[in-house]
Amino acid sequence: PKIQTRYSSLSETASEFNSIAEAEEVTVNGKQIGGVPKVKQILKKDIEFLGRIEPSRMTDFHGDFKPDNILVDQESGDFILIDPRGRSEIGTTTHDPMYDIAKFLASTRGYYTALKSGEFVVSVETEPSVVVNYDIESDLTPYQTVTKTVLKQAEKIAGDDVDWRVRVDTLTGLLLIANAPVHINGDGDEMAVAELVRGLELFNQAVGRFSARSERDGNVININTGSDLKKARDVFAQNT
């Protein structure tokens, strides 16, 4: 829902960001990947992919699990989590346990912490095709170490859930993509651009990691608005 609403109301002043958001394909650091329209298409049409990233179980969750919300006593090693949301985007009090994992990884594997600190450079070309190059200027070793540790813990939490890694990569990418338009401001859209393309990289990696078991596509209607409900009713009417 956030991707749909935030990308449908983009400011016309963010021309470079808009060009990237509208491109079917984007070349990021020399590699061509699917853009936002393809992300939307997969989330709408690929029934098997959506089914495989459906959580196998739901648990209590934090909702905004990121380094900023962890306070650590450096002497004892004790820590507390602050600022829990406690509810999902649709109001439920339980969620996929991988959501909190993905939220944390957005800061490390998604480089959100470095981006927010301004430790990056980015360049954009929109003609004849969209090309974005970015580089994280800070040392990536701490991010990589923490990411590796978190993924090991996630694997333990997942148990016999064979699709957990695809789900974590998908959620991490989608969180970054959905959040990118928030960082468009009067000073420019560099952070928004970097966050978007990193999210696209991770989402495309998830799709590449996913192994389809069938070739069936369909039309998934996520009911968030009155028009969504009308479409769903029309589909049911056609099949009854």
Side-chain angles (χ1 to χ4, degrees), residues 105-179:
L105 290 177
S107 292
T108 60
R109 191 159 182 253
Y111 307 143
Y112 181 78
T113 297
L115 297 178
K116 190 172 62 171
S117 300
E119 299 170 351
F120 72 98
V121 290
V122 63
S123 63
V124 180
E125 297 177 13
T126 58
E127 295 293 343
S129 60
V130 175
V131 177
V132 181
N133 291 295
Y134 75 92
D135 184 50
I136 304 300
E137 296 184 310
S138 54
D139 182 10
L140 293 180
T141 303
Y143 297 113
Q144 294 166 347
T145 301
V146 172
T147 294
K148 186 176 180 180
T149 301
V150 171
L151 287 173
K152 282 184 177 179
Q153 292 301 315
E155 187 172 13
K156 292 179 182 178
I157 294 170
D160 59 358
D161 181 357
V162 297
D163 291 317
W164 73 271
R165 184 59 191 274
V166 175
R167 202 158 71 255
V168 166
D169 288 352
T170 300
L171 287 169
T172 306
L174 290 177
L175 284 167
L176 292 167
I177 294 169
N179 198 53

Side-chain angles (χ1 to χ4, degrees), residues 35-48:
V36 173
K38 290 201 171 182
V39 172
K40 292 180 178 179
Q41 182 181 21
I42 290 171
L43 296 178
K44 185 176 181 180
K45 295 284 188 181
D46 196 328
I47 294 175
E48 185 179 352

Side-chain angles (χ1 to χ4, degrees), residues 72-78:
V72 180
D73 185 324
Q74 295 185 4
E75 292 185 1
S76 67
D78 293 339

Side-chain angles (χ1 to χ4, degrees), residues 27-92:
T27 300
V28 180
N29 287 351
K31 182 176 180 179
Q32 191 174 64
I33 59 176
V36 173
K38 290 201 171 182
V39 172
K40 292 180 178 179
Q41 182 181 21
I42 290 171
L43 296 178
K44 185 176 181 180
K45 295 284 188 181
D46 196 328
I47 294 175
E48 185 179 352
F49 183 80
L50 292 175
R52 296 271 294 281
I53 63 174
E54 187 73 17
S56 59
R57 61 189 174 93
M58 306 285 274
T59 64
D60 293 334
F61 74 113
H62 184 279
D64 199 18
F65 185 56
K66 57 184 180 179
D68 291 357
N69 288 336
I70 304 174
L71 301 182
V72 180
D73 185 324
Q74 295 185 4
E75 292 185 1
S76 67
D78 293 339
F79 67 91
I80 60 172
L81 303 180
I82 64 172
D83 198 20
R85 289 183 180 172
R87 289 185 180 273
S88 69
E89 295 88 343
I90 59 174
T92 59

